[in-house]
């Protein structure tokens, strides 16, 4: 009985492990893979080549959707035998206006995302969630949370803004921001505000202070669409962080929420978005995407 129980526990452990990672067997079976998802709550490092000793060129967040270019050599990392995977880097591609690539370890990828959940989240998980991209507050406001505990906030297309620090608590379900906000001519006083977290969804977080409001990915603002419609967009630090939201599965829905000029947007930005490897659930777009990434 003891031996049988031990075997069952070992089998369960093996099944649990395979559910969270793609091993070398997966890549042997699937010779051509178009998209995969990051399955690593702590994030996944991008390297310049398929080696742990290669230069670290960036970090991907959990649940990001990535365009696979090719599958590289096998490696065993953290006890997982899998393959290195060459991927397209969308924001770097946008900045350089040419395809830019990186390498990640396939053992922390999945071909099917689990439903989004905050169960078991720690303060570190909430901070990573907030730092994935910049957030829009209403039609004009924005806020950026940085991994080092600092934050920036202000108005789009305006000189007013400021910065400070933030703290989070999953136990209390709060975000506390201490910041100074001003404009071109004057700087305001430092103020501290604590916001209660009403709900956390993959693409938005609902907060409450004196009124209830939402933070959504800043790419919902028309300000950013003008960049995607340009032939050679010049991307600054703020736009760069905003466009990281395009690397999530929900970005297709966000892009299709454009109330006015959706057809013109798709027509004029298709080349840029496809070059970035961004998926949009639009029949005409998908046909062009498939033709480009044969």
């Amino acid at each position: 009985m003891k031996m049988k129980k031990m075997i069952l526990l070992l089998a369960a452990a093996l099944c649990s492990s395979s559910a969270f990672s793609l091993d070398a067997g997966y890549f042997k079976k699937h010779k051509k893979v178009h998209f995969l998802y990051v399955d690593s709550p702590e994030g996944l490092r991008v390297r310049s080549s398929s080696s742990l000793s290669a230069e670290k060129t960036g970090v991907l967040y959990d649940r990001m959707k990535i365009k696979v270019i090719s599958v590289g050599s096998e490696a065993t990392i953290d006890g997982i035998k899998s393959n290195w995977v060459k991927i397209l880097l969308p924001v770097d591609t946008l900045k350089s206006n040419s395809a830019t690539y990186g390498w990640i370890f396939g053992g922390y990828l999945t071909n099917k995302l689990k439903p989004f959940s905050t169960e078991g989240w720690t303060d570190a998980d909430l901070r990573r969630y907030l730092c994935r991209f910049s957030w829009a507050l209403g039609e004009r406001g924005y806020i950026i949370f940085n991994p080092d505990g600092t934050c920036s906030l202000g108005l789009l297309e305006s000189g007013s803004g400021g910065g400070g620090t933030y703290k989070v608590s999953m136990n209390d379900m709060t975000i506390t921001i201490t910041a100074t906000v001003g404009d071109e001519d004057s700087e305001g006083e430092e103020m501290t505000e604590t916001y209660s977290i009403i709900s956390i969804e993959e693409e938005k977080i609902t907060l409450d202070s004196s009124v209830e409001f939402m933070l959504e990915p800043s790419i919902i603002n028309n300000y950013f669409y003008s960049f995607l419609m340009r032939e050679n967009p010049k991307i600054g630090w703020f736009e760069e962080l905003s466009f990281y939201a395009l690397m999530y599965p929900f970005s297709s829905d966000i892009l299709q929420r454009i109330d006015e000029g959706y057809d013109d947007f798709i027509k004029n930005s298709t080349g840029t978005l496809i070059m970035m490897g961004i998926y949009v659930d639009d029949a005409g777009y998908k046909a062009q995407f498939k033709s480009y990434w044969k």
Side-chain angles (χ1 to χ4, degrees):
M1 180 65 71
K2 288 184 179 180
M3 179 61 71
K4 182 178 180 181
K5 187 174 182 179
M6 184 179 296
I7 292 173
L8 289 174
L9 287 173
L10 178 59
L14 291 173
C15 289
S16 175
S17 174
S18 63
F20 294 99
S21 62
L22 299 180
D23 59 16
Y26 173 86
F27 291 108
K28 286 180 181 177
K29 183 178 180 181
H30 299 85
K31 301 298 183 182
K32 182 63 176 178
V33 182
H34 296 286
F35 287 104
L36 292 173
Y37 305 90
V38 176
D39 189 11
S40 175
E42 293 78 23
L44 183 59
R45 286 198 174 103
V46 181
R47 297 182 183 271
S48 59
S49 63
S50 54
S51 170
L52 280 179
S53 61
E55 178 188 3
K56 301 170 188 175
T57 60
V59 176
L60 301 179
Y61 285 101
D62 191 36
R63 302 179 68 83
M64 276 185 165
K65 185 175 184 177
I66 56 172
K67 177 73 182 77
V68 176
I69 301 302
S70 62
V71 177
S73 59
E74 290 185 7
T76 300
I77 300 174
D78 297 333
I80 304 171
K81 185 177 182 180
S82 188
N83 292 69
W84 285 97
V85 178
K86 185 179 182 180
I87 65 168
L88 182 71
L89 302 176
V91 178
D92 297 85
T93 294
L94 179 63
K95 290 172 64 179
S96 64
N97 198 35
S98 63
T100 305
Y101 308 107
W103 289 87
I104 55 178
F105 181 59
Y108 292 101
L109 299 176
T110 182
N111 61 338
K112 187 176 182 180
L113 282 177
K114 298 168 290 183
F116 177 81
S117 173
T118 61
E119 184 178 355
W121 268 24
T122 64
D123 291 352
D125 293 311
L126 178 54
R127 282 193 296 272
R128 280 189 288 266
Y129 168 88
L130 293 172
C131 293
R132 298 174 300 163
F133 41 75
S134 58
W135 299 89
L137 173 58
E139 294 184 1
R140 297 185 62 204
Y142 73 85
I143 184 165
I144 297 172
F145 298 95
N146 300 310
D148 63 0
T150 61
C151 61
S152 304
L153 59 162
L155 298 177
L156 290 167
E157 303 178 81
S158 169
S160 60
T165 60
Y166 72 97
K167 295 180 180 180
V168 302
S169 172
M170 282 300 294
N171 285 333
D172 300 331
M173 289 293 284
T174 58
I175 300 173
T176 300
I177 297 175
T178 301
T180 301
V181 180
D183 55 30
E184 298 95 330
D185 302 316
S186 62
E187 187 175 60
E189 296 182 1
E190 184 178 84
M191 299 184 67
T192 298
E193 188 79 33
T194 297
Y195 303 96
S196 299
I197 300 173
I198 305 302
S199 65
I200 302 174
E201 300 173 59
E202 185 158 27
E203 78 284 7
K204 63 186 176 183
I205 180 170
T206 303
L207 305 174
D208 180 73
S209 180
S210 55
V211 294
E212 187 174 305
F213 63 95
M214 286 191 307
L215 296 180
E216 297 183 272
S218 54
I219 59 167
I220 66 170
N221 192 287
N222 287 335
Y223 171 77
F224 296 99
Y225 299 146
S226 64
F227 288 91
L228 295 174
M229 293 170 70
R230 296 174 189 172
E231 186 174 348
N232 294 299
K234 302 299 181 184
I235 306 302
W237 68 272
F238 180 57
E239 292 81 20
E240 178 178 349
L241 186 57
S242 300
F243 288 134
Y244 278 107
L246 292 172
M247 297 179 67
Y248 288 86
F250 57 72
S251 67
S252 178
D253 293 333
I254 288 178
L255 291 173
Q256 293 182 84
R257 281 170 50 188
I258 302 172
D259 293 329
E260 298 180 5
Y262 173 72
D263 290 338
D264 287 339
F265 168 69
I266 288 296
K267 178 181 178 181
N268 295 323
S269 64
T270 292
T272 300
L273 288 170
I274 289 177
M275 179 182 69
M276 296 170 66
I278 303 302
Y279 176 86
V280 180
D281 192 12
D282 176 277
Y285 181 95
K286 288 191 289 185
Q288 293 184 59
F289 188 98
K290 185 177 180 180
S291 176
Y292 185 92
W293 293 105
K294 292 180 181 179

